[in-house]
Amino acid sequence: MKFFLDTANVNEIKRINDLGLVDGVTTNPSLINKEGRDFKEVISEITELIDGPVSAEVTSYDYEGMVEQARDLSKWANNVVVKIPMTEDGLKAIHTLSKEGIKTNCTLIFSVSQGIMAMKAGATFISPFMGRVDDMGEDGARLIAELRDVIDIYGYESEIIAASIRHINHLEKAALAGAHIATIPGSLFEKLWTHPLTTAGIEAFVKDWDAFESRNK
Ligand code: G3P
C-alpha cells in the first residue's frame, strides 16, 4: 500500500518524507488556502521534494477552463497530477486529458457509480472520501471495498486513493478494503507510528537503566 500526504505544508512534507514514508502528496484548494502562500510556488516546492505523484486541483469548473488549467498545471513539473472534480464537465475533461497523456485524480467521489464513471473516462486515480461518507451515516470502508471489486472484476487501470481519512481506524479499514493508496493528513501520520504502550515501555526502560547505572557507579 502506498501512503500520500494530504497537505500543502512543505515543512510537514519534509519531516515525514525524511522517514521514507511518503509516496506522493495530495492538495486541494482548502489546503492551499490554509498555507496562505502562492499556489505555483507551493506546488513547485513539493514536486521538487517528492518523486511520486503530487496532486494539484483545478479551480475552474467548466470543461474549457478545467482543460486549460490542467494543461498549464501539468507543465509545472513532470510529477504533477491534475485533480478534477466529479462532474459532467469534469468527466469530459478527464477524457480529453487522458488522451493527451495528462494524469488525473478524480476527486469528491461518494458512490460506486461515480467511481465507475471516473474509471471509464480514464482517470489515473479516483478519490473516494471515506470520512465524509461516514459523516452521512454510510460506510466509507464499504465504498472503498466495492470500488476495488469493480477494478478487479473489469480490469480498470485507475488506482484508488482513500481520502478524507480522519483517524487510524479509517486507514486500517482502507488498507483491508484494498485501497491502493491512502492520503493522510500530517497530524494523523505521526499517530500511525505511536502507541501508548511503546511510550510507556521506553519510559520504564529509561528508569530501570538509570537505576542500574547508579547502582554500578
Ligand atoms: O483528501 C480530502 C481531504 O482533504 C478532505 O478531508 O476531513 O475535510 O473530509 P476532510
Side-chain angles (χ1 to χ4, degrees):
M1 185 179 199
K2 290 180 195 153
F3 288 161
F4 288 1
L5 255 174
D6 195 26
T7 183
N9 185 293
V10 173
N11 288 332
E12 200 162 57
I13 294 168
K14 272 188 196 147
R15 178 180 164 222
I16 298 171
N17 190 39
D18 281 348
L19 306 177
L21 296 173
V22 183
D23 299 302
V25 169
T26 52
T27 67
N28 60 39
S30 308
L31 293 170
I32 295 288
N33 177 45
K34 206 166 136 194
E35 296 310 308
R37 298 182 55 205
D38 179 71
F39 182 30
K40 188 169 184 176
E41 196 178 279
V42 172
I43 294 297
S44 304
E45 283 179 26
I46 299 173
T47 51
E48 273 172 34
L49 276 172
I50 300 293
D51 291 333
V54 174
S55 289
E57 189 156 342
V58 294
T59 48
S60 299
Y61 294 93
D62 62 290
Y63 167 76
E64 282 81 13
M66 281 192 243
V67 169
E68 191 187 340
Q69 225 185 337
R71 286 179 183 142
D72 181 44
L73 287 169
S74 70
K75 289 187 194 118
W76 289 4
N78 288 337
N79 52 342
V80 165
V81 170
V82 182
K83 224 169 167 184
I84 307 266
M86 160 49 71
T87 59
E88 181 176 344
D89 280 34
L91 287 171
K92 195 171 161 187
I94 288 167
H95 180 56
T96 300
L97 296 166
S98 77
K99 284 191 288 185
E100 294 177 18
I102 294 175
K103 291 188 173 161
T104 55
N105 172 0
C106 186
T107 188
L108 291 165
I109 287 186
F110 295 94
S111 68
V112 175
S113 65
Q114 286 183 317
I116 298 173
M117 297 300 102
M119 293 182 219
K120 273 190 81 73
T124 318
F125 301 100
I126 59 167
S127 290
F129 276 39
M130 282 187 92
R132 293 191 198 182
V133 169
D134 285 0
D135 290 345
M136 297 288 290
E138 293 168 23
D139 186 349
R142 202 172 95 193
L143 173 60
I144 306 276
E146 290 177 350
L147 286 167
R148 182 61 202 244
D149 284 348
V150 169
I151 288 175
D152 292 343
I153 292 167
Y154 294 101
Y156 289 120
E157 286 174 13
S158 312
E159 287 190 283
I160 300 169
I161 303 178
S164 183
I165 288 192
R166 311 256 179 82
H167 44 70
I168 293 176
N169 194 245
H170 270 151
L171 176 86
E172 293 176 349
K173 282 190 170 170
L176 291 167
H180 302 89
I181 300 147
T183 191
I184 306 164
S187 52
L188 176 61
F189 226 114
E190 71 179 23
K191 294 196 181 121
L192 301 177
W193 67 72
T194 52
H195 194 284
L197 292 181
T198 307
T199 311
I202 291 170
E203 277 167 12
F205 288 155
V206 168
K207 195 167 148 250
D208 291 343
W209 191 251
D210 283 349
F212 171 80
E213 282 194 319
S214 49
R215 254 202 332 273
N216 291 289
K217 262 182 195 160

